[in-house]
Amino acid sequence: RRSSDLTVTGLPKAKYYTAKAIKPALTLKYGTKTLKAGTDYTIAYKNNKAIGKATITLKGKGNFSGTVTLNFKIIPKKTTLKTATSPKTKQLKVTYSKVANITGYQIVYSTSSDFSKNKISVNTKATSKTISSLTKGKTYYVKVRTYKTVSGTKYYSGYSAVKKVKIK
């Protein structure tokens, strides 16, 4: 039977890290027939516990043959942006929650709420960061996300909520 007639649904683009093996619930259909795991195919997972690229291998069984390999990303947990203040003239200080099992945090700030103008990002390992040399009296928007570097590739979490700060 042709694998081009096979449709797979339920494969996420990315899942958040949980410290447990992640096994997305997939639905396999051949034409209109829903296939059964164990009867029509076997399913095997690789690298599905750590942050990085996870692999699912589906192998036909019984009336079905062939192998399909699928991938999804396991991304680090998000951080919560706790505070964004202007402690001194031309400064922005942000604090955010600590997240385990990551390489660091990426702070993104901009003078536009949609981050389309003067967007700057800063990477740090600390759970707070003071950014200097900003424009006095200007409002800045800031958000934070976590990242982990695995084999030279950075895997990013989603962004925190955005906070806005008027610079002293």
Side-chain angles (χ1 to χ4, degrees), residues 76-95:
K77 287 183 180 177
K78 288 169 96 167
T79 184
T80 302
L81 179 53
K82 292 179 180 175
T83 61
T85 60
S86 182
K88 292 182 183 168
T89 305
K90 298 185 179 181
Q91 284 189 347
L92 167 64
K93 182 177 182 185
V94 290
T95 59

Side-chain angles (χ1 to χ4, degrees), residues 20-22 44-56 71-74 150:
K20 295 182 173 96
I22 297 172
Y45 299 92
K46 186 177 171 194
N47 302 327
N48 67 323
K49 190 173 178 183
I51 293 169
K53 186 168 112 177
T55 304
I56 303 171
N71 294 301
F72 67 96
K73 289 179 184 175
I74 298 176
V150 180

Side-chain angles (χ1 to χ4, degrees), residues 78-84 93-99 102 104-108 122-131 142-146 160-161 163:
K78 288 169 96 167
T79 184
T80 302
L81 179 53
K82 292 179 180 175
T83 61
K93 182 177 182 185
V94 290
T95 59
Y96 32 89
S97 58
K98 185 171 177 55
V99 175
I102 61 165
Y105 304 87
Q106 183 183 57
I107 303 157
V108 179
V122 178
N123 291 348
T124 182
K125 292 184 184 310
T127 53
S128 72
K129 178 78 176 170
T130 301
I131 298 158
V142 63
K143 59 187 177 180
V144 184
R145 65 182 177 176
T146 62
S160 68
K163 289 198 183 281

Side-chain angles (χ1 to χ4, degrees), residues 23-68:
K23 298 180 178 182
L26 302 178
T27 302
L28 277 65
K29 286 192 174 191
Y30 181 80
T32 57
K33 176 184 169 34
T34 300
L35 306 185
K36 288 188 172 71
T39 304
D40 298 320
Y41 66 94
T42 60
I43 187 165
Y45 299 92
K46 186 177 171 194
N47 302 327
N48 67 323
K49 190 173 178 183
I51 293 169
K53 186 168 112 177
T55 304
I56 303 171
T57 304
L58 306 169
K59 286 187 180 172
K61 191 176 171 184
N63 294 330
F64 299 92
S65 63
T67 302
V68 175

